[in-house]
Each structure stands twice: as structure tokens, then as C-alpha cells.
Amino acid sequence: MASTDALHDLAGLTEAQLLELYRRMVLLRTYDERSVVYHRQGRIGTYAIFWNHEAIQAGATFALTDDDWIFPSYRESAIGLVRGMPAVTLLQWWRGHPSGWWSPADWNVASIAVPIASHLPHAAGLAWGKKLRGESTVAMAFFGDGATSEGEFHEGVNFAAVMNAPAVFVCNNNQWAISTPIEAQTRAESLADKAIGYGIPGVRVDGLDVLAVYAAAREAVERARGGGGPTLIEAVHYRAAPHATADDPRAYIDLARVEEERARECVGRYEQLLRDAGVLTDELVELTRKDAEDLLRAGITAAEAEPPADPELLFRNAYVDPPGNMRIG
Ligand SMILES: Cc1ncc(C[n+]2csc(CCOP(=O)(O)OP(=O)(O)O)c2C)c(N)n1
Ligand SMILES: [Mg+2]
């Protein structure tokens, strides 16, 4: 596995880029931690925690341009933040409010896919379509280890490979699919090995090393844009938080391993790296955290100020001609 210690050169990024990457990680971390609090306060609904997945999300998307498309699962629900999507939009999604349904074309961020792996064929199709139009857009899809057992994982990756579509498939291998461990998910030694069956490159990276994820994604994006087809990236770590706010992992997870994982969490690790490199100061850390906290505070205030959704909307978007028994009033 590539690691920052081995790369030494901070992935060739400038100081400004390194700090922007840090800002994005802090923003994601703050969004996640505040969301768990908002859930406990009854201000958002059930929420899929992504604590310690920030290096994968920020690192991989840092290799994209704003014209490239991101296809998130529920685990990457807040990934629009890296594109400047307002926090209120994402918070409203988790509040079940229609103002949380953004138009994908506005941000080049597809809708959050809750059905596992259902967005992989979409990513393959978009990438292929853009290629047919002569555009240089890349599509990057995020999914979990459990998703690699779904038919749509196979369909999406195989289709992208056969069509030589400019797609990057980023597998967040947190080694759990709710309570199903990776050992019960596959006999494959690594998930990256699955790429062999599709005839595409597969790489494994340390999912807590943001620069290693970025470097792997940059190579994959360059290959895709250059006509070299898709890549499967497996970012390995160990889920250090519950699957979601409704889950109690104490019933099944290795708690000692969770403690270890929390001790080497990815934001603090990157922060230390930047301090050691002389790029980050205490003052900048405080400022970056405060900006993110202010953004979230403003986001939840704006969300709660919006009038509740009209319940009729549910039916309006489901039927052109609602049957009589569905008509309200
Ligand atoms: C098609 C489908 N089957 C089952 C579920 C229920 N479900 C929700 S999350 C999850 C686990 C997915 O695990 P993984 O792919 O490893 O992603 P992670 O949650 O670990 O990020 C399952 C089975 C679902 N959402 N969609
Ligand atoms: Mg998983």
C-alpha cells in the first residue's frame, strides 16, 4: 500500500493545495460530527456516519476538476461540500425536506444512492456518454466493500471496462457492511483483485492517508481522461463509528480495533503531517475549524427556518394522474 511516509514529496501539491485539501477534510469532519449531534437533538433524521472516511472522500475528489462527475452513496452524502454545495441543502436531505433534492447537473454531483451499488451503472453510462460526445469528463463513483457483492457492481465496472469509459471506481473498504464482516463478504484476498476480472487496473491504498488516496486517484483520473479506461481503487481502513445513527456496533465489532483506528484517525494524521512540514499553524487550525463550525451553524439555522414540505408533493412526483384514493382534499 502506498503511504505518505514513502512518498515524501507531499504528492507534489503546492502549499495552497495542501491547505485546501485540509480545509475540505475539516469541513467534512465538522459536518459529520455536527450531524450526529443534530440527530440526537431530533433536528435531522437517521444519519449515515462517515467519521474517518474523510481522507477517502476529500483525497479522491481532489483529483477531479469541477466538470467531472461524482456519484456518491449515502456514506458520501456530504461530498457536495467539496464543490461548494451549501450545507443547508445536505442537511435538508437528511431532514427529508424537498429542498435537499439538488439538481445533479448544477453541481455535477449525482443524487445520493441508497440502494447499494445502484449508481455504478449510472456512473459508467455517464462516462461513456460524455466520451461519445467528445468531452473529457471523468465520472467517479464511491461505494463500500459490501457493494462489491452486488450485481450492479459487476454490471457497472464491466460495462465501463468494455466501453473503455472514463470512470474511476472508489471502493471504501471499511471492512463492514453493517454487521457483515469482509470475511463473510468475499473469498478474494483483496477487493482490488476483482479488477483483474474486468481487465482494468486495481490499486489498494491506505484509506486513512489522504495524500496516498489523492495520488492513486490522480493517476486513475489521468488514465481515464487520456483514453486509458476505468480503474478500481480500494481504500482500506476499518469502520471506527456505527454504520448509522440507528446502529449499535458493540454487538458485533472488534472494539479494541476500533480504538486503534480512532487513535490514528485521518484528519489528525494529516494535520500532524502539515505541521511537521511547516505548512500548518495553530492559528490556521483554529480558523479552519471555526469557519467549518460557522458554516454548519448557519446551515442548520437556514434548514429549520424553511417551511415544512407539503405532504402532497409525495404524490405529485409519483403520479401524472393520481388515482382517486390518492387524492387529498
Ligand atoms: C440493494 C440494497 N440492499 C440492501 C441494503 C441495506 N443496506 C444498507 S447499508 C448496507 C451495507 C453496505 O455496506 P458497504 O457496501 O460495505 O458500505 P458501507 O455502509 O460500509 O459504507 C446494506 C446491506 C440497501 N441499502 N440496498
Ligand atoms: Mg463497508
Side-chain angles (χ1 to χ4, degrees):
M1 278 192 272
S3 116
T4 311
D5 301 339
L7 291 172
H8 285 303
D9 64 350
L10 300 174
L13 294 173
T14 64
E15 198 169 312
Q17 287 173 320
L18 291 166
L19 288 174
E20 172 58 15
L21 188 50
Y22 174 66
R23 189 190 69 79
R24 293 181 187 191
M25 284 181 88
V26 171
L27 189 53
L28 288 168
R29 171 63 56 89
T30 308
Y31 179 94
D32 184 71
E33 291 187 341
R34 292 311 301 162
S35 291
V36 173
V37 174
Y38 296 151
H39 168 75
R40 289 192 182 138
Q41 293 172 335
R43 300 164 85 177
I44 65 169
T46 300
Y47 169 70
I49 304 162
F50 60 79
W51 198 90
N52 220 14
H53 292 64
E54 297 89 344
I56 301 172
Q57 301 179 11
T61 53
F62 206 64
L64 300 175
T65 70
D66 284 352
D67 286 336
D68 296 326
W69 274 68
I70 301 171
F71 288 77
S73 81
Y74 52 83
R75 192 68 68 206
E76 296 80 26
S77 66
I79 207 146
L81 290 173
V82 307
R83 288 267 166 91
M85 192 186 283
V88 61
T89 305
L90 301 162
L91 290 165
Q92 289 296 51
W93 193 90
W94 287 105
R95 284 162 56 84
H97 194 286
S99 70
W101 309 334
W102 68 85
S103 170
D106 287 349
W107 299 96
N108 295 343
V109 178
S111 305
I112 299 165
V114 177
I116 308 296
S118 57
H119 53 313
L120 271 61
H122 303 167
L126 183 126
W128 183 40
K130 292 285 188 185
K131 186 181 139 181
L132 288 176
R133 285 185 180 180
E135 297 175 31
S136 64
T137 312
V138 170
M140 178 180 277
F142 291 87
F143 51 96
D145 43 294
T148 63
S149 299
E150 287 284 351
E152 280 166 305
F153 166 80
H154 168 72
E155 290 157 23
V157 179
N158 190 57
F159 188 82
V162 165
M163 295 306 175
N164 210 34
V168 178
F169 296 101
V170 181
C171 178
N172 138 48
N173 180 5
N174 60 16
Q175 306 192 43
W176 290 93
I178 312 185
S179 56
T180 301
I182 187 77
E183 299 79 28
Q185 195 69 250
T186 183
R187 293 275 308 262
E189 240 176 71
S190 84
L191 297 176
D193 281 354
K194 296 195 177 213
I196 298 167
Y198 303 110
I200 64 170
V203 284
R204 257 193 138 196
V205 288
D206 178 349
L208 298 187
D209 185 336
V210 69
L211 294 183
V213 175
Y214 164 69
R218 184 178 55 190
E219 203 181 310
V221 167
E222 275 170 13
R223 182 169 31 247
R225 220 186 289 291
T231 301
L232 174 63
I233 297 174
E234 177 192 6
V236 186
H237 61 129
Y238 189 91
R239 211 188 69 213
H243 168 76
T245 47
D247 174 42
D248 180 0
R250 286 174 303 180
Y252 59 84
I253 215 161
D254 177 349
L255 288 170
R257 180 74 201 276
V258 167
E259 279 316 302
E260 265 174 45
E261 202 70 0
R262 292 185 78 86
R264 50 190 211 102
E265 58 83 20
C266 65
V267 179
R269 181 170 164 184
Y270 186 49
E271 207 169 278
Q272 193 56 48
L273 186 88
L274 293 184
R275 281 177 193 273
D276 292 348
V279 172
L280 196 59
T281 59
D282 285 349
E283 200 185 356
L284 211 48
V285 168
E286 282 315 306
L287 201 68
T288 310
R289 287 185 190 163
K290 190 179 175 311
D291 280 354
E293 281 160 19
D294 288 350
L295 195 130
L296 262 293
R297 207 167 289 126
I300 193 76
T301 304
E304 289 176 339
E306 281 192 57
D310 176 0
E312 247 192 82
L313 198 57
L314 265 180
F315 302 99
R316 214 181 298 149
N317 287 326
Y319 297 96
V320 173
D321 297 313
N325 62 350
M326 294 270 179
R327 266 184 215 121
I328 301 171

